[in-house]
Amino acid sequence: MPNVKQITELMLQMEEDLKLLENESYGHNAKLVWEFSRFFITEQIKRNQGIQSVSHSEEKKLTQMIFRDKCIFVLSFIKSLLYFNPFISNRKKVLVLANPRRKLDNHGFYEDIYTDEIIRFLGSQKCLIVEHPYLGEHFMPTRYRVRHMEMLKLLIYLHKKMISPAIDIQIKTMAHAVEVYISNAINAQVNITKTIYELAKRFKREYFAYYLWLKILHPKVIFFVCGYGKEPLIYAAKKLKTTTIELQHGVITDYHLGYVVNRNAFKETFADSLFVFGDYWKDISYYPINRQKIFSIGYPYFSKEKLLYKDVAKKNQLLILSQGTIGKKLSEYVVSLLEKNIPNNVQLIYKLHPGEFERWESDYSELFLAQKSGLINVITDEVPLYNLLAESRWQMGVNSTSLFEGIGFNCITYILKLPGYEYMDRLNNAGLVTYIDTEQSLSLEINSAVPDAGNQLFNENWQGNFKQAMRTILREE
């Protein structure tokens, strides 16, 4: 079975051999569709090869809901259209596409950990804040006025029902070439053509809706997290000469097709600028934009929260940080540890990823039974993550962003060699983490030295860095 690194190398080699990121190969439209497809196709191959599972719980379709849930959904949708319509707003210079997976803060507000601090710094009166629903709902109350994407979703849906865009011959040729290349490389049939066709139609629908919306709003700058999947929005913004800035929201590595390209390759639908957490992330891969457009800003939420827990003492606690993609295998390894050499004075806490909250009891049956037996404490959001990181002497996971944050909290870090562990190679080479094989027992040493990552992972003085970056960007326009 290939691993994550091999799949990434395959995709990059294919892009070079087929010249998928060049207009001259299959035409401009096919290039745009491939840029939109490349991350999703990579994830499809990983699932097909059994490398990883679905990362998040998926939103139920209307046809799958019981009558009561259908009524609630429809009423909520209508409420969003009437009271939170993003088309009905005064023009603002700054458009912020917030992350809908919000966290409840100590003051009873659901905050977006990636954009709220930036909105506060810019001034909320200058910003139009918009979000998609998360698993069919919006978390309220929020600190700032947030509008909902349901009107955009309705436009896209109507476009789908009323217009069935034809797939041009160049896109068909490109899709067929990709499917043949990958099927031959992994010696397995993968229905990639159908996926690319669907994404090609989706690109057209979403581009139409976003272009119309941005044409009406006419913002000067758009901030968003997670640019892969937002290619239609970015393309519409560029057509309207609107500046786009992506905020780092997770791990960026040499094996992440949301960011990495071949040397000197160019992705037209990448953000104009990328704001990363620290200098470590600037040199992680070949980005599809000029390196002068990548700014080491810091992580505002992390900086704020770390101050709150600076006086928390470490205790003999191992924090396991789960992820949906590898959660089942990770949970099975952790359960096996309970039968081995974990000292009695060490507490084990298994922290679920929000995408696992709804399904862990059924998907991770061994872990569920271990908790029922009182052998391990499985938690969702009962205790703040940073509180756990501050008090835990050790942490373990695969490639979660929280592991980097744990290093910032001076946790001794173990990386289990499950699919995706390659993302941590640079940390391992720098001596900041220790790799553990799945057949290997875990030896926890209380007096182990804690590696110091300095400010490489998370830059300090984010306000000053942000202000300087914005001056540079706006001066170049």
Side-chain angles (χ1 to χ4, degrees), residues 42-55:
T42 305
E43 297 304 289
Q44 179 182 342
I45 295 168
K46 290 177 186 176
R47 292 192 296 271
N48 176 272
Q49 294 293 293
I51 296 174
Q52 67 181 35
S53 305
V54 177
S55 57

Side-chain angles (χ1 to χ4, degrees), residues 294-454:
I294 304 171
F295 298 90
S296 177
I297 302 297
Y299 186 2
Y301 180 77
F302 177 79
S303 297
K304 179 188 74 171
E305 293 293 305
K306 189 176 180 182
L307 281 175
L308 297 178
Y309 298 103
K310 62 184 176 61
D311 296 324
V312 175
K314 293 288 185 185
K315 58 185 180 182
N316 290 343
Q317 181 169 285
L318 170 63
L319 177 64
I320 299 103
L321 295 161
S322 190
Q323 296 168 257
T325 52
I326 46 76
K328 184 169 178 58
K329 292 178 180 178
L330 177 62
S331 65
E332 289 171 352
Y333 175 79
V334 171
V335 171
S336 74
L337 284 181
L338 301 175
E339 304 167 359
K340 296 179 181 176
N341 60 341
I342 296 296
N344 293 330
N345 66 337
V346 174
Q347 182 180 8
L348 269 66
I349 295 183
Y350 194 100
K351 174 69 173 70
L352 294 164
H353 186 278
E356 300 171 301
F357 290 176
E358 302 293 326
R359 56 189 174 90
W360 80 274
E361 292 182 2
S362 57
D363 289 4
Y364 311 157
S365 55
E366 293 181 14
L367 183 66
F368 179 61
L369 290 174
Q371 177 178 252
K372 293 273 284 185
S373 303
L375 298 176
I376 190 170
N377 185 12
V378 180
I379 64 173
T380 53
D381 275 339
E382 299 94 323
V383 181
L385 171 63
Y386 291 150
N387 190 359
L388 294 170
L389 292 173
E391 68 183 18
S392 296
R393 192 178 305 279
W394 308 278
Q395 63 170 349
M396 182 173 69
V398 179
N399 60 35
S400 168
T401 309
S402 299
L403 291 165
F404 290 86
E405 294 169 311
I407 293 171
F409 274 100
N410 298 319
C411 293
I412 298 168
T413 304
Y414 298 96
I415 302 300
L416 190 61
K417 294 176 74 171
L418 289 174
Y421 81 92
E422 301 95 335
Y423 283 15
M424 314 301 269
D425 278 349
R426 285 188 69 207
L427 291 181
N428 183 55
N429 293 338
L432 294 174
V433 303
T434 300
Y435 280 164
I436 301 293
D437 287 313
T438 54
E439 302 300 320
Q440 182 179 349
S441 295
L442 185 63
S443 178
L444 302 176
E445 297 184 12
I446 294 177
N447 296 319
S448 298
V450 179
D452 182 12

